[in-house]
Amino acid sequence: MKQKQPEEKRLLAERATALFTEFRSAYVNEWRRQEHCERMYRGDHWYDVPVTDPNEPRPVTPILQSTIENISADLTEQVPEAVIEPESAADAFAARVIDAVVKRNHDAASYPVEFRSMIHDLLVGGYCVQEVGYDAALNGGLGGAFIRHVDIRSVLFDPTVTDLQDGRAVFKLALRPKEWIEAHYPDASALIESRPLDAAELQTDEILSPDPKNIRLLLEYWWREYDAKTERYRVHMALLSGGVVLEDSRDTKPEGYFSHGQYPFVLTTLYPRKGSALGFGVVDLFGTQQLYADKLDQLVLKNAFLASRNKLLVTDASGFDPDDLKDWSKDVHTGENLNGVTWMSTPPLPNYLLSYIRSIREDIKEESGANDSSRGTVPNGITAARAIEALQEMSTKRARMATDQLHEAFRTAVRMEIETEREFNCYLRPVTITVDGAPKEVLFDSAMLERSVPGGAAVPIEFLISIKAVKRNRFAQAAQNELMLNLLSMGVIDREQAISLMVFEGKEQVLKSVREQAANAEPLFPERTKSKRFGGKA
């Protein structure tokens, strides 16, 4: 007997497929732009230039790739770290526990690795995407929230809005083998096999071309619904393949997948694009200069090839045999008139052309923010960490702007992460916090974040804690350590306090050694320590 989906699921699949077809048509040019940007980054931009002469040189000087990598190296050192602070003294303990939970989540998910992937998408593609969710399999089955990078070529936002949260839907794409679908959704797999694929699903393009026999296109469909009674949005998710609904979040959470009612995606743009939620990257702004620089290199190489092979012009009246002249093994050639034999050399290109090529490359580096100071190349006489950091801060406003945008997006993602922990966590999870300088293991319970106002509505997380994104690079750490040493030399703080506030590897071991030395040290004036004035017994 032929299986059928329930009418409600069939209508959901039809609505999702129609919307996906609309989004996909609008994204064709965007996917081509992304592919072009990746080729420019790889130095394969001659791919788009038609071949007029098969022997012409096609040089590539990776100035754009070097520029992107230099900016990327600068941004990589600005990996944000979440600092959770309480809004009131009553929430101090909860804030410390949440701070430890968030740090453990980011360590488990290797957030610096995710951050580097986001930087590549941001600089090359013009925008990057983070996803916030909950994985019940994390932490040995205790579960945990996560922040993950999403490849910009696998996510589609509503092309009619400038804010993704205002969009009709968000799609995430994935290609899975047929066996994967059969293993994870055996019942739905039979429905997919019994349903004929229509022409729209079989169409292919340059980016997405699944083989309907062996590869399945997996659609993660997110959409929002407005509830007029509560005046709030509800976000839902469905997983589809082959026009069949594999999962529907409304079956288990009809009130909405997330209580915050937002799409679990955070979008960061480098250079905003008018009328779109997406953005432009470094390649879009400086790719034309790279093309012209390589075109000028091509002219220089052509000139060098021509100049390396001087031509010999021989007239019929000269009496010389051209084939005889080409034989360089002979010492004597006979003819009638030397005036009929002339050498023709290729004139060199003007010097200003070579200077112009260098100027284009320097302009790309300077205007994009990948100058010497931003890459850490500073004058030899400057050694103080604060001076180096000040030079870097002044060197590139573009990199600082990108850092601020990434950190603000990180704060938004951490806020969603904490909301997700509050909603989905159902086990007591042990975490370690520092109490009076010593580590202490406590249990994280989402109930410590549950507050409500009259009427039963949950208090927003901002009412309990504040979230800050702290950036630490090697120069900022050096400046911090330098400041602590100055305060120690002035006698404002002692050795233990100075080491506690410094940033370096192995700090805990040094602190332990200092404390042991202080505990075993003989008092300088033992008779005074026994008096009431110094806290001793009379």
Side-chain angles (χ1 to χ4, degrees), residues 84 99 125 165 170 193 449 454 465 477:
I84 312 299
D99 186 74
Q165 296 297 340
V170 177
E193 294 298 331
L449 291 175
I465 58 176
Q477 292 176 2

Side-chain angles (χ1 to χ4, degrees), residues 131 150 154-156 170-174 218-220 222 265:
E131 180 183 9
V150 179
S154 66
V155 60
L156 282 73
V170 177
F171 288 95
K172 266 186 65 181
L173 316 180
L218 203 62
L219 285 182
E220 192 174 296
W222 293 86
F265 301 97

Side-chain angles (χ1 to χ4, degrees), residues 35-73:
E35 183 63 25
H36 171 72
C37 290
E38 287 291 338
R39 283 202 299 268
M40 289 287 296
Y41 169 75
R42 297 193 305 264
D44 191 23
H45 44 274
W46 285 105
Y47 175 88
D48 297 322
V49 180
V51 178
T52 57
D53 181 5
N55 296 321
E56 68 178 5
R58 292 197 157 197
V60 174
T61 303
I63 184 65
L64 192 58
Q65 182 191 39
S66 175
T67 297
I68 291 174
E69 288 301 308
N70 285 326
I71 302 175
S72 177

Side-chain angles (χ1 to χ4, degrees), residues 181-191:
I181 301 291
E182 293 175 348
H184 289 77
Y185 306 97
D187 297 334
S189 178
L191 287 172

Side-chain angles (χ1 to χ4, degrees), residues 300-364:
V300 172
L301 285 177
K302 278 186 176 181
N303 183 263
F305 291 159
L306 292 174
S308 65
R309 297 183 60 185
N310 294 329
K311 294 182 179 181
L312 184 64
L313 304 181
V314 182
T315 64
D316 293 337
S318 67
F320 286 94
D321 182 8
D323 293 332
D324 185 61
L325 291 175
K326 288 191 298 184
D327 188 356
W328 292 90
S329 62
K330 291 184 177 182
D331 295 328
V332 179
H333 301 276
T334 59
E336 301 292 337
N337 187 2
L338 287 176
N339 292 331
V341 180
T342 306
W343 285 99
M344 185 188 75
S345 60
T346 302
L349 293 173
N351 291 330
Y352 75 84
L353 186 61
L354 301 178
S355 301
Y356 183 65
I357 295 175
R358 289 192 295 268
S359 175
I360 287 180
R361 293 169 180 163
E362 290 300 321
D363 286 345
I364 293 176

Side-chain angles (χ1 to χ4, degrees), residues 67-139:
T67 297
I68 291 174
E69 288 301 308
N70 285 326
I71 302 175
S72 177
D74 189 34
L75 295 179
T76 300
E77 293 184 348
Q78 309 293 336
V79 177
E81 178 183 352
V83 176
I84 312 299
E85 296 181 348
E87 288 293 330
S88 64
D91 299 313
F93 178 74
R96 297 178 69 180
V97 175
I98 289 297
D99 186 74
V101 169
V102 169
K103 284 181 171 56
R104 176 172 291 182
N105 287 346
H106 296 174
D107 288 341
S110 298
Y111 186 78
V113 177
E114 305 287 331
F115 191 74
R116 283 192 288 271
S117 300
M118 288 188 293
I119 289 174
H120 177 84
D121 285 350
L122 184 70
L123 298 178
V124 178
Y127 59 96
C128 62
V129 182
Q130 302 177 74
E131 180 183 9
V132 184
Y134 191 85
D135 189 348
L138 291 178
N139 300 309

Side-chain angles (χ1 to χ4, degrees), residues 271-506:
Y271 304 116
R273 194 184 310 181
K274 275 291 186 180
S276 173
L278 310 181
F280 293 117
V282 174
V283 176
D284 297 298
L285 269 64
F286 303 102
T288 304
Q289 290 175 276
Q290 171 78 66
L291 290 173
Y292 279 120
D294 288 339
K295 183 64 178 177
L296 291 174
D297 282 342
Q298 184 185 53
L299 296 178
V300 172
L301 285 177
K302 278 186 176 181
N303 183 263
F305 291 159
L306 292 174
S308 65
R309 297 183 60 185
N310 294 329
K311 294 182 179 181
L312 184 64
L313 304 181
V314 182
T315 64
D316 293 337
S318 67
F320 286 94
D321 182 8
D323 293 332
D324 185 61
L325 291 175
K326 288 191 298 184
D327 188 356
W328 292 90
S329 62
K330 291 184 177 182
D331 295 328
V332 179
H333 301 276
T334 59
E336 301 292 337
N337 187 2
L338 287 176
N339 292 331
V341 180
T342 306
W343 285 99
M344 185 188 75
S345 60
T346 302
L349 293 173
N351 291 330
Y352 75 84
L353 186 61
L354 301 178
S355 301
Y356 183 65
I357 295 175
R358 289 192 295 268
S359 175
I360 287 180
R361 293 169 180 163
E362 290 300 321
D363 286 345
I364 293 176
K365 293 192 297 182
E366 197 68 31
E367 295 301 326
S368 64
N371 48 36
D372 290 339
S373 295
S374 69
R375 300 197 302 269
T377 305
V378 295
N380 294 330
I382 298 178
T383 56
R386 279 175 293 182
I388 295 174
E389 185 182 15
L391 277 177
Q392 287 193 313
E393 287 291 325
M394 292 186 296
S395 66
T396 166
K397 293 181 179 179
R398 293 183 186 271
R400 284 181 9 228
M401 179 188 69
T403 300
D404 292 341
Q405 290 172 322
L406 287 168
H407 285 196
E408 188 60 32
F410 176 73
R411 287 182 66 250
T412 303
V414 171
R415 182 196 180 281
M416 284 188 179
E417 178 186 6
I418 297 175
E419 289 280 9
T420 303
E421 287 282 2
R422 177 165 70 169
E423 182 178 2
F424 286 87
N425 180 69
C426 56
Y427 295 103
L428 296 177
R429 193 189 318 168
V431 293
T432 302
I433 63 175
T434 302
V435 179
D436 296 330
K440 180 180 179 181
E441 187 176 273
V442 297
L443 295 178
F444 164 63
D445 186 358
S446 58
M448 65 177 56
L449 291 175
E450 292 179 1
R451 306 282 195 280
S452 60
V453 297
V459 173
I461 202 70
E462 294 88 352
F463 287 24
L464 310 178
I465 58 176
S466 63
I467 305 169
K468 297 180 181 179
V470 179
K471 58 181 179 181
R472 286 189 180 274
N473 57 28
R474 64 181 185 274
F475 296 112
Q477 292 176 2
Q480 171 80 3
N481 297 343
E482 188 176 327
L483 175 61
M484 294 305 107
L485 290 175
N486 290 336
L487 293 177
L488 177 63
S489 63
M490 295 168 57
V492 178
I493 57 177
D494 57 26
R495 288 192 306 167
E496 184 176 344
Q497 291 172 330
I499 296 173
S500 299
L501 295 173
M502 294 174 72
V503 182
F504 59 91
E505 293 292 334

